[in-house]
Amino acid sequence: MGVSVGAVSVPSGTVLGVVANKVWPGLVDVDWSKGREAIVWDIRFPRVILAAFVGAGLALVGAALQAVTRNPLADPHLLGISSGGAAGAILALLHTGLFLGLLTVPVMAFAGALLATLVVLSVTRFTGATSADKLVLAGVAVSFVIMALANILIFLGDPRATHTVVFWMLGGLGLAQWSHLLYPLAILVLTTPYLLMKAADLNAMTIGDETAATLGIAVQRFRLTVFVVGALITGVMVAFSGIIGFVGLMIPHIARYLVGGSYTRVLPISLLLGAIFLIWADILARTLMAPEDMPIGIVTGLIGGVFFIILLRSKSGDGGR
């Protein structure tokens, strides 16, 4: 459906035919135009797959961060990781140039996300903000600072090129290409098994540091490892999608509502729901103002903001638990 819907509607039968013909040439009779084929195979199909990868990755990171911080409001956007990734991507695009070729933007985005993570951890240690709530507040503060620095980079950049960074500031999947999909796929393949294997440790972390320590978990090292893994995933996703907020906040809550609190179930369900959600968000972004392509960050921001308010209301109604 994500491939079919858009400014130019393509019947699902044509979509299946194009895909079948690409996978196995000559399998079906070609009764569609070259233009339709280009829309399906070159534009929308990689876009939908990228949406699935990014949604899955951000949801996975959000679930893991909510466990190690014991804060239901934690996600890569609120903790400044997304902002750091975007700042790294902007630095590569406007100032350093593509010195590593196609890898430059993902590498710089990861470096920015990792730096933002380290800054958040340093701020919490410097201020003595050891509680989970204060960790989120530190992340929000760091996010504002990093975005201010990113705006300075934009201001100092070539005015003729600054329009390209709007993609990273507002989020979008319109630049998806088949050659780009290898990087988010590789990151998910490398990091997802680690987090799935650590599901029991994440369950212990949700109870408390002391309990986790009695179970033999090196709490500080494990928390730092999860933050670094989260920065790696977020940095690469931001490099190809821009800043997409609230996916990591919403999806783990929905997953826990559906399957309970055990991370052996929450993590894989978050992966699946995150992919589905962002595909649907991209469909809305392509259709709400067709033929204009609305930045997907606006769609997730609107939905996520409402969800955030409802979540705060429910927590308040539970006595702040």
Side-chain angles (χ1 to χ4, degrees), residues 60 63-64 188-203 222 226 229 233 262-272:
L60 183 69
L188 287 177
V189 170
L190 289 173
T191 57
T192 300
Y194 170 79
L195 292 176
L196 292 177
M197 288 189 297
K198 295 295 183 179
D201 292 351
L202 291 172
N203 285 333
F222 179 61
V226 171
V229 170
I233 297 173
S262 174
Y263 273 79
T264 56
R265 297 187 297 272
V266 169
L267 291 179
I269 295 300
S270 294
L271 277 167
L272 178 62

Side-chain angles (χ1 to χ4, degrees), residues 5-317:
V5 175
V8 176
S9 180
V10 180
S12 57
T14 301
V15 172
L16 294 175
V18 170
V19 174
N21 189 59
K22 289 291 184 179
V23 174
W24 193 337
L27 181 64
V28 296
D29 294 331
V30 177
D31 57 357
W32 53 81
S33 66
K34 289 291 185 180
R36 286 280 179 97
E37 181 172 314
I39 290 173
V40 169
W41 188 255
D42 297 327
I43 299 176
R44 291 188 187 167
F45 214 92
R47 179 171 179 153
V48 169
I49 295 176
L50 180 61
F53 288 164
V54 173
L58 294 179
L60 183 69
V61 173
L65 290 178
Q66 288 170 16
V68 297
T69 62
R70 298 192 306 280
N71 191 311
L73 304 181
D75 87 327
H77 186 60
L78 290 180
L79 290 180
I81 302 176
S82 294
S83 300
I90 291 169
L91 180 63
L93 288 168
L94 296 183
H95 297 279
T96 66
L98 302 181
F99 57 91
L100 295 176
L102 189 60
L103 281 174
T104 306
V105 175
V107 168
M108 293 291 286
F110 166 63
L114 181 60
L115 180 61
T117 300
L118 295 177
V119 170
V120 171
L121 294 176
S122 299
V123 168
T124 56
R125 182 165 297 182
F126 174 74
T127 59
T130 56
S131 70
D133 290 338
K134 290 182 178 179
L135 178 62
V136 173
L137 291 176
V140 172
V142 170
S143 178
F144 278 116
V145 173
I146 292 175
M147 289 311 299
L149 295 175
N151 288 332
I152 292 175
L153 292 175
I154 295 173
F155 179 75
L156 296 176
D158 186 349
R160 294 170 298 179
T162 52
H163 69 280
T164 60
V165 304
V166 174
F167 170 81
W168 274 268
M169 302 297 287
L170 300 179
L173 302 169
L175 300 182
Q177 300 178 23
W178 284 108
S179 59
H180 293 168
L181 299 180
L182 175 63
Y183 302 104
L185 174 62
I187 290 303
L188 287 177
V189 170
L190 289 173
T191 57
T192 300
Y194 170 79
L195 292 176
L196 292 177
M197 288 189 297
K198 295 295 183 179
D201 292 351
L202 291 172
N203 285 333
M205 293 290 289
T206 60
I207 301 173
D209 288 0
E210 293 182 358
T211 301
T214 59
L215 295 175
I217 300 172
V219 173
Q220 296 298 330
R221 185 173 64 184
F222 179 61
R223 180 178 287 119
L224 179 60
T225 301
V226 171
F227 267 86
V228 172
V229 170
L232 177 59
I233 297 173
T234 304
V236 173
M237 298 306 171
V238 166
F240 295 104
S241 68
I243 299 178
I244 298 178
F246 292 108
V247 176
L249 171 67
M250 291 185 292
I251 301 303
H253 285 281
I254 298 173
R256 282 191 286 269
Y257 177 79
L258 294 175
V259 299
S262 174
Y263 273 79
T264 56
R265 297 187 297 272
V266 169
L267 291 179
I269 295 300
S270 294
L271 277 167
L272 178 62
L273 293 180
I276 293 172
F277 170 77
L278 206 60
I279 291 174
W280 273 105
D282 185 49
I283 291 175
L284 291 175
R286 282 186 274 130
T287 56
L288 287 177
M289 298 180 63
E292 295 295 328
D293 198 357
M294 180 188 295
I296 194 171
I298 295 176
V299 176
T300 60
L302 289 172
I303 299 173
V306 174
F307 185 90
F308 195 89
I309 294 171
I310 294 173
L311 182 63
L312 287 175
R313 172 63 180 172
S314 67
K315 293 297 177 183
S316 176

